[in-house]
Amino acid sequence: MNEPASREEKLELGVELLAHLEHEELALPDAIDRIETVTTSPSLTREILDAAEKRGVVERENARLRVQRGGTYVNYESQVTQREGEFECRRCGTTITTGHFVKLDAGELGPFGSSCIRKVTGRDGDGGGGDDTGGSGTG
């Protein structure tokens, strides 16, 4: 897996991840949960949020983000790939045997377990908690 090498690459990946959220609105803690799959640096997290707002990707109001680019959510058929192997979920740290990877223009993000991939892309609930069960990735 090719991880983003530079701060700028991580910034671009984080902004693009926010642009591809499934829902129009997201609580700030849930957005940060997703950004932490790119970086755990608080300063870079702030930069990603600021850059996304400046570029018109999101609008911040109190503790919520409103996604400004509707219809750009992650397409599972073309943007999510699965690979078999020994992985650690990038979101929750669980050992998994099927890694799900998201292909974005700015780079590839992953691996994620079957429930964390849905949380990262906004397809499952509110995005909170690290309850990925890993396993075969059939979910």
Side-chain angles (χ1 to χ4, degrees):
M1 181 180 86
N2 296 328
E3 292 199 27
S6 72
R7 188 173 183 88
E8 183 62 30
E9 287 171 325
K10 289 179 180 182
L11 183 131
E12 293 303 320
L13 195 54
V15 170
E16 191 173 354
L17 184 61
L18 290 176
H20 282 80
L21 294 177
E22 183 85 6
H23 302 288
E24 289 182 20
E25 269 194 40
L26 187 66
L28 186 58
D30 295 332
I32 291 171
D33 180 60
R34 290 179 174 101
I35 293 169
E36 285 178 342
T37 65
V38 176
T39 182
T40 55
S41 163
S43 64
L44 184 52
T45 297
R46 279 190 299 277
E47 282 182 48
I48 290 168
L49 289 167
D50 290 345
E53 189 172 25
K54 286 177 187 170
R55 295 177 193 180
V57 172
V58 297
E59 185 178 283
R60 281 194 269 189
E61 187 175 321
N62 299 320
R64 298 201 65 79
L65 295 182
R66 187 174 303 116
V67 179
Q68 299 298 303
R69 296 182 183 174
T72 60
Y73 58 88
V74 171
N75 181 313
Y76 272 62
E77 289 75 37
S78 64
Q79 290 180 279
V80 176
T81 59
Q82 295 180 25
R83 295 185 203 133
E84 298 299 320
E86 290 294 319
F87 302 106
E88 183 177 294
C89 178
R90 188 167 179 130
R91 180 175 175 272
C92 72
T94 299
T95 299
I96 52 177
T97 56
T98 300
H100 296 75
F101 297 82
V102 182
K103 292 181 185 177
L104 301 170
D105 290 340
E108 183 179 78
L109 189 58
F112 300 104
S114 59
S115 62
C116 281
I117 187 68
R118 290 188 301 273
K119 288 181 177 140
V120 167
T121 58
R123 295 256 173 123
D124 187 36
D126 61 7
D131 61 348
D132 189 56
T133 56
S136 65
T138 58

